[in-house]
Amino acid sequence: MIQSMDDERRIFSELVENYQKKVFQVAVGMLGNKDEALDITQDVFVKAFRSYKKFRFNASPETWLIRITINRVRDYFRKEKLRRLLFLRPENISDNQINTMADSDQSPQEILKEKQLHAHVRAFQDGLKGREREVFSLRFGNEYTIKEISELTGISQSSVKTYLYRALDKAQDYLADWKAT
Amino acid sequence: MNNIHLSNKEIYSMIVEPDSIDENLQLHLKKCPDCQKRFNRIKGFLKAYQEEIEHTEINWTREKGKILSAVSDYHAPALRLRWGTAVILSFIIVISAFLLQQVYFQPNNGSKIEETELQKEIWFFPDSISEVELPQSIVLLTEWEGEDFQQFLNFFLPIEEEHNEKNNSITNSLRINRFDQSIFA
């Protein structure tokens, strides 16, 4: 039972500490954009704080937060789609794409190869459609099981598998094209 | 599984659900270098995808600070609701007070109110005259024309009817209430 405002804020601070990285990873996996993912992470916790008293801990805090994240990302895509439709924003947002750390032990060739691979991964990710991208990111970016993804997204397990198979088909095509070039 | 190699769907099922891999598929994968190559190529791609997400450089302490700062700026709904209700109630009280003042206290504070022509003329009768001879009053007031006269008739006809009912009562006491425009005889 939360006793006071200070207690509430302390517990919430721990919640942020424990789950901010996870929330960010889910967001960045679905968005492919670091800055937007950070904004959404912040929004998710503000939203969580608002409904914190209503949260009865029937689900784990992680499930609760990831559900908020998924809904928030869906809202973001809806708004983004509308903006693009109205030509208010360019589609290419690759300038803000996520950057990975280069391993200093790698040779220049290896670094280049890895950079190329990551560039292809990003391009592949951009090519995935809404739900495909969502379940692909949850399964392969965040290692949730099919059952967990179904619970988090509200999509049936068979549909989750269908989306994943379709996304893997695209990955396979993408790899074939890449190899050919 | 066909006779030679694993199908794409079979490879995908092994990647998507590694805990429930069919034993026959697993055996084939161990033996077939081509299928292993296909399997590992997709696995490698997925590993790169995961690294892309996991190895993003973020200053988490700073981000936590931002989140907590955003949260501390947020006021609880209960508090906002209380303030909102207080503001709305204050507004209603002020408006009500203003309207009440207009209705009940206007004559006492000496300020003028809009009057129709008829009301102005009726008001010519001094307040001190509380009793007038009804027929004479009617003659005086019939000089009005148009809507005002119709309005006049609407005011006085009921009185006249009452007057007739009383049979031969020559005078009536008239009291004109200028606010609700009713006349009591």
Side-chain angles (χ1 to χ4, degrees):
Chain A
M1 187 80 174
I2 295 166
Q3 295 297 320
S4 68
M5 197 72 139
D6 285 343
D7 284 343
E8 191 177 302
R9 289 190 190 276
R10 184 180 52 76
I11 292 167
F12 192 77
S13 172
E14 283 171 17
L15 196 78
V16 174
E17 178 93 42
N18 294 336
Y19 296 106
Q20 63 174 346
K21 196 174 176 186
K22 191 76 196 166
V23 167
F24 170 79
Q25 282 181 355
V26 169
V28 83
M30 290 164 74
L31 291 161
N33 182 299
K34 178 182 154 185
D35 293 340
E36 298 289 358
L38 283 173
D39 286 348
I40 281 178
T41 304
Q42 189 173 313
D43 284 358
V44 166
F45 281 103
V46 171
K47 220 169 190 179
F49 185 75
R50 279 184 211 167
S51 52
Y52 190 56
K53 283 179 182 172
K54 291 178 201 164
F55 179 55
R56 302 283 176 220
F57 291 90
N58 292 333
S60 72
E62 182 180 334
T63 306
W64 174 55
L65 288 168
I66 300 304
R67 273 189 193 146
I68 297 175
T69 310
I70 292 168
N71 287 329
R72 182 65 190 78
V73 172
R74 284 175 181 175
D75 284 347
Y76 170 85
F77 277 123
R78 267 194 289 270
K79 284 176 189 167
E80 196 66 17
K81 202 174 172 182
L82 192 68
R83 274 181 211 159
R84 280 177 194 168
L85 205 70
L86 298 170
F87 302 102
L88 294 176
R89 192 173 171 164
E91 193 163 347
N92 188 0
I93 50 171
S94 57
D95 289 348
N96 292 325
Q97 294 285 8
I98 48 182
N99 301 309
T100 53
M101 287 189 292
D103 189 339
S104 56
D105 294 338
Q106 288 174 309
S107 69
Q109 284 92 344
E110 281 172 330
I111 291 170
L112 184 68
K113 200 179 169 187
E114 196 176 304
K115 277 191 174 181
Q116 280 178 335
L117 179 64
H118 286 295
H120 281 277
V121 165
R122 285 198 295 268
F124 157 75
Q125 196 181 8
D126 285 344
L128 293 178
K129 287 178 185 171
R131 292 285 184 270
E132 276 172 15
R133 185 192 274 232
E134 206 171 89
V135 295
F136 189 86
S137 141
L138 291 169
R139 178 67 193 90
F140 300 115
N142 296 279
E143 293 185 320
Y144 286 108
T145 63
I146 304 288
K147 194 183 170 200
E148 286 169 335
I149 295 169
S150 175
E151 283 168 5
L152 288 170
T153 58
I155 303 169
S156 69
Q157 290 190 36
S158 59
S159 297
V160 169
K161 280 185 204 171
T162 307
Y163 284 126
L164 286 173
Y165 285 15
R166 233 183 268 169
L168 286 171
D169 256 338
K170 286 185 183 176
Q172 185 111 303
D173 293 344
Y174 206 85
L175 283 167
D177 289 346
W178 181 33
K179 207 177 176 186
T181 56
Chain B
M1 183 173 65
N2 60 34
N3 291 331
I4 309 163
H5 294 298
L6 295 174
S7 68
N8 280 343
K9 202 175 175 183
E10 283 165 339
I11 289 181
Y12 298 163
S13 73
M14 293 165 84
I15 290 168
V16 168
E17 294 176 287
D19 298 334
S20 54
I21 299 176
D22 186 279
E23 281 182 18
N24 293 328
L25 298 181
Q26 211 162 9
L27 273 172
H28 178 86
L29 192 66
K30 275 181 185 170
K31 288 175 189 171
C32 178
D34 282 347
C35 289
Q36 268 178 33
K37 202 177 168 186
R38 283 166 61 209
F39 180 85
N40 289 335
R41 199 169 59 170
I42 298 175
K43 275 291 218 182
F45 185 78
L46 295 174
K47 195 181 167 211
Y49 174 79
Q50 195 172 20
E51 280 173 1
E52 184 84 9
I53 291 170
E54 282 183 351
H55 294 167
T56 310
E57 285 178 283
I58 303 285
N59 182 341
W60 291 112
T61 312
R62 196 183 64 189
E63 289 306 318
K64 185 187 169 189
K66 277 186 194 172
I67 291 167
L68 294 179
S69 167
V71 164
S72 66
D73 288 343
Y74 170 76
H75 297 289
L79 192 64
R80 284 192 301 173
L81 193 69
R82 266 181 244 149
W83 274 106
T85 311
V87 169
I88 291 166
L89 279 176
S90 308
F91 182 74
I92 290 169
I93 289 167
V94 168
I95 294 292
S96 305
F98 177 75
L99 291 173
L100 283 170
Q101 189 251 357
Q102 288 289 309
V103 172
Y104 290 106
F105 303 113
Q106 189 72 22
N108 296 337
N109 63 15
S111 61
K112 288 181 180 177
I113 60 167
E114 289 294 321
E115 292 174 318
T116 65
E117 282 301 310
L118 176 64
Q119 283 171 326
K120 279 179 190 167
E121 293 299 331
I122 289 171
W123 206 242
F124 277 137
F125 293 117
D127 287 346
S128 57
I129 299 172
S130 58
E131 287 188 24
V132 292
E133 286 185 11
L134 189 61
Q136 189 188 352
S137 305
I138 290 171
V139 171
L140 284 169
L141 294 165
T142 50
E143 288 171 17
W144 282 307
E145 289 178 1
E147 282 184 10
D148 277 346
F149 182 63
Q150 189 58 50
Q151 205 177 347
F152 161 76
L153 285 178
N154 290 341
F155 284 157
F156 280 90
L157 280 177
I159 299 164
E160 194 185 15
E161 282 167 15
E162 196 179 324
H163 169 74
N164 293 336
E165 280 171 16
K166 286 182 180 173
N167 290 329
N168 302 322
S169 170
I170 298 169
T171 60
N172 269 300
S173 149
L174 294 179
R175 187 157 60 85
I176 302 167
N177 184 327
R178 63 188 295 192
F179 299 113
D180 63 11
Q181 297 183 347
S182 63
I183 296 171
F184 301 96

